[in-house]
């Protein structure tokens, strides 16, 4: 914190709350389950208490500290963090350990998210697409210019809409309080956008299933899994 405050006095600091306030554990029992056998840092709680007392750090009541950073990021703020996952959030970023500054555009932020959808996040117990690493993910995503193209590309690689949904919910960092990936896709222009993605998905599957089955999938089941994840 002292290193960060050398560069400015106005700041907001956030800490992740307990598991009970984090929807990711509800929709994915395996979320961070790979950490259960790791020894918890001895002074974790003491450090949190110090940050709250000395720096007015705020404990989030929704999601994680990363979500709070995403929600509060504006064109006039800088996210100070060493966490590369936050590079999916548009705006100014500063790695205070490497002392590196980076500006992320909306398009670059989306590309970072969908690359991670392909690769997964082993540190959080999230399995991506088997056989796809960072290099291949970049080849699949980096040349794309719209989010529609990115969703279509990733969906084809997954071949499992339910796992796609769960991973997207866990990996997406909020831009607005309480707005998860599925809730974002279910509002305004994004709803029509996702319909287009699903239509493309059905067309891709057409050679493998009969037309009546495709019709049933599109007309009755297109948001079934998304709706399950909007109940938290």
């Amino acid at each position: 914190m002292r290193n960060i405050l050398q560069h400015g006095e106005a700041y907001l600091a956030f800490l992740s709350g307990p598991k009970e306030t984090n929807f990711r554990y509800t929709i994915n029992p395996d979320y961070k389950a790979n950490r259960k056998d790791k020894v918890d840092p001895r002074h974790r709680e003491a450090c949190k208490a110090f940050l709250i007392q000395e720096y007015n750090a705020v404990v989030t009541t929704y999601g994680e500290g990363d979500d709070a950073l995403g929600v509060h990021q504006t064109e006039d703020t800088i996210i100070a963090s060493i966490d590369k996952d936050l590079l999916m959030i548009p705006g100014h970023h500063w790695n205070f350990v490497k002392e590196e500054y980076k500006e992320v555009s909306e398009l670059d932020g989306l590309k970072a998210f969908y690359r991670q959808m392909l690769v997964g996040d082993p540190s959080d117990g999230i399995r991506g697409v088997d056989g796809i690493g960072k290099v291949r993910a970049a080849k699949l995503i980096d040349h794309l210019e719209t989010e529609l193209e990115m969703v279509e590309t990733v969906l084809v690689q997954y071949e499992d809409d339910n796992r796609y949904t769960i991973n997207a919910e866990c990996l997406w960092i909020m831009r607005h309080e309480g707005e998860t990936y599925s809730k974002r896709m279910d509002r305004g222009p994004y709803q029509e956008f996702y319909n287009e993605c699903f239509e493309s998905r059905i067309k891709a599957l057409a050679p493998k299933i009969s037309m009546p089955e495709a019709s049933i999938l599109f007309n009755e089941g297109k948001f079934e899994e998304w709706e399950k994840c909007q109940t938290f």
Side-chain angles (χ1 to χ4, degrees), residues 73-74 79 84-94 101-113 115 175:
Q73 175 80 313
T74 71
I79 290 179
K84 60 179 177 55
D85 295 345
L86 282 160
L87 294 177
M88 71 175 68
I89 300 294
H92 308 288
H93 292 260
W94 184 55
Y101 169 81
K102 186 178 183 68
E103 186 167 353
V104 177
S105 68
E106 179 70 29
L107 183 61
D108 286 340
L110 289 171
K111 289 180 179 180
F113 168 73
R115 284 197 302 268
R175 274 71 163 165

Side-chain angles (χ1 to χ4, degrees), residues 110-207:
L110 289 171
K111 289 180 179 180
F113 168 73
Y114 287 104
R115 284 197 302 268
Q116 192 169 36
M117 281 289 290
L118 292 169
V119 176
D121 190 343
S123 65
D124 287 342
I126 299 174
R127 180 172 64 88
V129 178
D130 293 340
I132 295 184
K134 292 181 180 180
V135 174
R136 187 177 174 198
K139 289 181 179 179
L140 288 168
I141 297 296
D142 286 358
H143 67 284
L144 304 178
E145 295 298 327
T146 69
E147 188 174 6
L148 176 59
E149 293 174 314
M150 297 177 206
V151 173
E152 290 174 333
T153 298
V154 177
L155 273 173
V156 168
Q157 296 297 326
Y158 263 77
E159 296 186 349
D160 182 342
D161 293 350
N162 184 52
R163 197 165 72 82
Y164 173 95
T165 301
I166 292 173
N167 280 3
E169 292 289 81
C170 291
L171 292 171
W172 180 258
I173 297 176
M174 296 179 190
R175 274 71 163 165
H176 306 282
E177 185 172 343
E179 187 177 79
T180 61
Y181 181 84
S182 62
K183 289 182 179 178
R184 170 177 175 267
M185 286 298 190
D186 197 37
R187 67 169 173 82
Y190 289 106
Q191 189 171 37
E192 180 179 353
F193 163 80
Y194 193 72
N195 280 342
E196 291 182 37
C197 290
F198 196 87
E199 288 182 28
S200 297
R201 175 77 164 170
I202 294 300
K203 289 177 181 177
L205 290 173

